[in-house]
Structure formats: C-alpha cells, structure tokens
Amino acid sequence: MSSTENMLATVNHNFDRAAQFLDYPDGLLAQIRQCNAVFKFHFPVRKEGPGGGYEVVEAWRAEHSHHRLPCKGGVRYAPDVDGDEVQALAALMTYKCAVVDVPFGGAKGAVRVDPRRCSPEQLERITRRYTAELIRKNFISPGVDVLAPDYGTGPREMAWIMDTYLQIRGGEIDATGCVTGKPVNLGGIRGRREATGRGVAFAVREACNDTELMKQLGVPPGITGKRVAVQGLGNVGFHAARFLAEAGAVLVAVSEVEGTLYRAGGLDLEAVMRHRAETGRITGFPGATDLPRTAVLEVDCDILAPCARENVITADVAPRVKARMVAEGANGPVTADADAILRQRGITVIPDIYCNAGGVTVSYFEWLKNLSHVRFGRMQKRFDEMSKGRLVDTVARLTGHGMDDPVRRTIVQGPGEEDLVNSGLDETMSVAWQEIREVMRQMPRVGDLRNAAFVSAIRKIAVSYMELGIFP
Ligand code: NAD
C-alpha cells in the first residue's frame, strides 16, 4: 500500500491539490486542513456468553472544524476502524457541509466493534456508554456536536443515543437535536433513511444531464438506459440502486460481502433483496451470474457506484475499471493514486464530498425540525390547498370548464414533510452541482470535479474565518 492509500493522507492530498489554486495566507489554509479536536477513549463492556468478564472497547469522536457550530457527523461501528480514518471522515464532513451549504463544522465518531458479532443488547450497552462518555466531555449536544448514522449504525442506534442524552440532559428544550437519523416517531424526519442514496441518484442525474460533460465522455446525455453497477447494498447502496433504477438506469451488477451478482439485461433490485432475505445471500439469484466480491468494480458498465467502504478502488484496480463515470456513494472509496489513474484514463469521478452529501443535507433539515419543534408542512399544507383550490375553482367558473375530482386533487394538493424534504434535497444537489461546474468554468486548470468541489468548499470556509475576523 502506498502512503496515499491511507484515507487521511488521501483527503489531505485532495485538499492540497485544490489549495494550490487558492490565494490565502498559509496559516488560514493550515487551520482549515487541521483537525481541531480528537477525543479518543476506552470503556469497559461486559462480555457476552459463558465465561463472563469484561472487554475494553476503543472509541473516538473527532471534530475537524469549529468554523460553524454545531459540528456534524456520523458514528461508525467497524472492527477495523482507527483514529486516522475517523479524522479523515471528519475532514470530509467539513468539506461536504461547505459544498452543499449546510452551516455545520465537520465531525465523525467511531467505535471499534463488529456489529455483526454483537447481540442487540450488547450494541445497546455499547451505544449508551459511548454516548455517556461524549456527554461527559461535551462532544455531543444540539449546539456543539450532532451525531448521525454511518457504516454499521442506523435509526436504532440513533434512538439509543437520543434516549441516553435525554436521560442525562432531559431539561434541555432542544435535546432531541443532539442526533439525526432517528426513527420518525422519535423526532426523525421522513426521507432521511433514503436521503444519501437519493442524493447519489440526483448527483448522477446532474452529471448525466450535463451535455458538456457527457460530450467529453463520449456518451449520450440522460440517465435512461445507462448501465449501473453498485457496490454494497446497505443504506446508501440500496437506496442509490433503487433511485437510479427508478430514474431509468439499468442495474447490471450489485455486490455485497458474499459476492457480486451480474446480469447484462438488468437486475430486479426488490427481487434480489427478497432472495437475500430468504437465503442470506445475494448470490445464487436465478438468471444472474455469480462473480467474486470485487468483480463489481470491473464489470462492463457506464456508471460505477462504490457505496460500501473506503479505499476499494486502488491503483491496482483503477486500470481495470470499465465504467465511464464513478459516483462515490461511500466516503473515500478511491485512493489518491487510483484517482490519478482514473483521471488519466478520462474517467469522471463524482466526488464523495458532493455525491453523498444528501445524508447530511437531510440531517440538517431534521435538526431544523427538532429546533423548531414542528413537522415541516404542518402549518402551510392546508392553507396551500385552500388557496390553490380557490384559484382552480375560479378558473373553472370563468372558463366554464370544470375538472375531474382526481385531477383537481393532484393540482391542489399541498406539500407534506417528505415532499418538502425531497424537493429541498433536489434543489441542494442541483445548486451545488452548478457551483462546482462554475468553478471549472472560471478556473479551467482545476481540471476535474473533485478538485473543483474542494476549491468550492475551501473558499466558503475561508470566507467564514475571514468574516470572523480571524485571518483578516
Ligand atoms: P451500511 O452499514 O448501511 O452498509 C454498508 C454495506 O456494505 C453493508 O451491507 C455491508 O455488508 C456492505 N459491504 C461491506 N464491505 C463490502 C465489500 N467489500 N463489498 C461489497 N459490500 C460490502 O453503511 P452505509 O450507511 O450504507 O455507509 C456506506 C458508506 O457510505 C460508508 O462509506 C459511509 O461512510 C458512507 N456514507 C453514509 C451515509 C449515511 O447516511 N448512511 C452518508 C454519507 C456517506
């Protein structure tokens, strides 16, 4: 493994590449790049099964940037996670929030544990203890640092985090805003579960509808008929695959830890998931070909979406990627060396700090909902319906043309929470894409989308520091 195949080195390498194009004092760039605070800690947890005893669990919370508060970032449960990885992921959160104009600093947490080998009871004990340690050190609260799901965690863990926080800090009026990605009944928001994958699909749509980019790649514009391969069918991968297929793409390959499933004519995702629920694996699906786990990265397709883990497309793999475009659903799936090879081969990479920013965007909406203590749409849905109804009825009366009830209902329907969340996400991904492309037009030498996204992020963070009077 080369030095740049450590994720922290990759993120810093990408920062440095972009920083060359920016004219700020060195101190300012160094401050933006540096991780502000890392809390590394250990706590004991009773072992499961016969024999008893305790094991010591290793955990982290890294707050990369405090230029905006609160900090925001997921919590990862994985047996091989380390401090560098957590800092790298926290840094990505800072840049990601800036790219999509989410007013947060970046953070990330992790617990070195294999969730597949733990009972739900053990995971609950670990999650509650992890949260209590963060509270003691002021590394969690709605105004300081807001947690969220990541690899190996989901709404269940977020509910435990919130409950622990409420037990200790129950009197705080905004306490539920200490964590996002919660179940909807506990203050979560409709659309958060799907948000990252939906955002990946929006990002791919923006790229495919960009006629200039598609011309450079030598492929026809539009998402319809594009052959897609997705690595990982967890939260991000499953929803990305689902929304890409719904948008008209053809899902030719999916992979999970047990292997890759390939079918040139396209896979029915729901049927694959049913098959996995029945047999415990995606492989062995009728009518499709089983391939090794990593084969998904090399299958013949137009768009490859790595949505599992970091560092999967290495310098070894990059020369064999057949896709014309790589959409980084996961954080850091392409190493710096591999990125250079893909660029040289004319393959476009939609970078993680833009591509998977849908999750933090909708987490931001959830946090706003928690702080305002009201569901989006509750105050205006009925009002919108009544005013549109009056307009439609007036037009009908004046023209003498009435309207069928179902048609009238579709026209006058006011937006519910999920409609507002999805349209807010759509708008965010669309605006951020335009900003990244504008950087490329203004500064042609930046060359690629990742560099342009980093330039866009660093500029926005630099402005915050300068407006704070630091680094005038
Ligand atoms: P998840 O735990 O829900 O899913 C990950 C899936 O990948 C699992 O099903 C796992 O079995 C599978 N997997 C692991 N190694 C694999 C391999 N080598 N080949 C194929 N499949 C493999 O996690 P997630 O929340 O979907 O996160 C996935 C990635 O997306 C991570 O990099 C995470 O940091 C990033 N991400 C997640 C979110 C979010 O909202 N959950 C937001 C932004 C970025």
Side-chain angles (χ1 to χ4, degrees):
M1 193 183 275
S2 82
S3 63
T4 46
E5 288 182 355
N6 161 308
M7 196 169 78
L8 183 57
T10 299
V11 174
N12 286 335
H13 169 86
N14 289 331
F15 180 97
D16 295 340
R17 264 185 82 219
Q20 290 170 32
F21 295 93
L22 295 166
D23 189 19
Y24 295 116
D26 274 355
L28 173 51
L29 290 168
Q31 171 59 37
I32 296 173
R33 187 181 189 269
Q34 192 56 247
C35 186
N36 287 178
V38 185
F39 175 30
K40 180 188 177 190
F41 53 105
H42 296 85
F43 54 86
V45 180
R46 198 176 303 131
K47 279 188 190 157
E48 293 189 288
Y54 282 82
E55 64 179 313
V56 177
V57 176
E58 197 175 5
W60 296 262
R61 184 74 186 167
E63 292 177 351
H64 174 262
S65 179
H66 296 133
H67 73 290
R68 291 281 178 102
L69 285 173
C71 298
K72 183 88 187 74
V75 183
R76 169 171 292 202
Y77 286 2
D80 53 355
V81 65
D82 62 37
D84 270 9
E85 185 178 322
V86 181
Q87 285 192 52
L89 290 162
L92 282 178
M93 284 303 296
T94 295
Y95 308 134
K96 194 180 298 186
C97 288
V99 164
V100 289
D101 285 330
V102 165
F104 293 146
K108 205 74 175 191
V111 181
R112 190 195 277 267
V113 61
D114 187 349
R116 286 194 195 84
R117 289 169 181 267
C118 293
S119 68
E121 293 73 28
Q122 185 74 338
L123 283 174
E124 180 172 354
R125 274 192 289 273
I126 290 172
T127 306
R128 288 185 181 280
R129 182 65 193 257
Y130 176 72
T131 310
E133 296 290 337
L134 294 184
I135 294 170
R136 267 165 28 131
K137 291 279 195 253
N138 202 25
F139 270 78
I140 176 174
S141 93
V144 170
D145 191 344
V146 179
L147 278 57
D150 190 68
Y151 186 91
T153 59
R156 182 184 61 173
E157 287 73 19
M158 302 308 112
W160 291 331
I161 290 171
M162 185 189 81
D163 189 51
T164 309
Y165 190 86
L166 284 173
Q167 282 175 14
I168 300 173
R169 297 267 177 87
E172 284 181 16
I173 184 129
D174 295 328
T176 56
C178 71
V179 58
T180 59
K182 305 178 287 289
V184 173
N185 284 330
L186 296 177
I189 197 164
R190 286 162 188 81
R192 171 61 183 91
R193 195 164 42 107
E194 303 85 352
T196 310
R198 193 189 288 274
V200 171
F202 284 151
V204 170
R205 178 203 63 195
E206 291 298 319
C208 288
N209 287 345
D210 191 315
T211 41
E212 204 182 318
L213 179 67
M214 290 296 109
K215 201 168 153 201
Q216 277 164 23
L217 290 178
V219 287
I223 206 165
T224 309
K226 292 277 185 306
R227 296 162 310 146
V228 176
V230 177
Q231 182 190 44
L233 289 176
N235 181 286
V236 179
F238 169 74
H239 290 107
R242 181 185 144 200
F243 292 118
L244 285 166
E246 278 181 21
V250 181
L251 200 57
V252 292
V254 290
S255 79
E256 253 299 330
V257 278
E258 60 271 17
T260 295
L261 201 59
Y262 177 77
R263 187 168 176 270
L267 294 157
D268 175 345
L269 183 65
E270 296 296 335
V272 171
M273 297 314 277
R274 272 198 304 278
H275 168 78
R276 192 179 197 219
E278 283 159 17
T279 64
R281 36 189 50 242
I282 56 166
T283 44
F285 183 71
T289 309
D290 291 345
L291 297 171
R293 186 203 287 190
T294 52
V296 69
L297 304 172
E298 300 172 22
V299 294
D300 191 13
C301 64
D302 301 305
I303 300 160
L304 169 62
C307 297
R309 288 293 300 262
E310 60 285 346
N311 293 345
V312 290
I313 302 182
T314 58
D316 287 345
V317 174
R320 297 195 295 272
V321 169
K322 295 194 186 64
R324 303 296 300 134
M325 199 190 298
V326 175
E328 294 188 324
N331 283 313
V334 178
T335 67
D337 295 349
D339 205 33
I341 297 170
L342 295 179
R343 273 200 304 280
Q344 206 180 9
R345 295 187 56 216
I347 296 170
T348 286
V349 178
I350 308 179
D352 47 9
I353 58 170
Y354 165 67
C355 192
N356 68 35
V360 73
T361 301
V362 175
S363 275
Y364 169 48
F365 300 159
E366 180 176 332
W367 180 79
L368 290 173
K369 174 186 179 178
N370 294 154
L371 263 55
S372 61
H373 300 266
V374 65
R375 166 170 48 82
F376 287 114
R378 181 170 173 178
M379 301 291 280
Q380 83 263 34
K381 184 170 190 280
R382 187 63 66 94
F383 182 83
D384 274 8
E385 286 174 357
M386 287 191 308
S387 14
K388 278 192 274 181
R390 277 197 293 272
L391 183 67
V392 164
D393 294 343
T394 309
V395 172
R397 206 179 51 250
L398 292 175
T399 59
H401 292 294
M403 199 176 280
D404 289 346
D405 250 12
V407 178
R408 186 183 183 280
R409 261 201 303 278
T410 327
I411 293 176
V412 305
Q413 196 182 29
E417 180 172 81
E418 197 160 359
D419 303 314
L420 292 166
V421 163
N422 293 341
S423 71
L425 174 60
D426 194 345
E427 167 73 4
T428 301
M429 295 305 288
S430 175
V431 168
W433 176 264
Q434 296 308 330
E435 285 179 359
I436 294 167
R437 293 295 278 148
E438 188 53 32
V439 170
M440 293 177 80
R441 273 186 279 275
Q442 280 173 5
M443 304 165 77
R445 283 178 45 246
V446 300
D448 59 281
L449 291 168
R450 192 189 310 279
N451 224 2
F454 266 86
V455 166
S456 172
I458 297 169
R459 273 177 170 174
K460 292 179 190 177
I461 301 164
V463 168
S464 299
Y465 275 111
M466 290 188 296
E467 284 179 354
L468 282 169
I470 314 171
F471 305 104

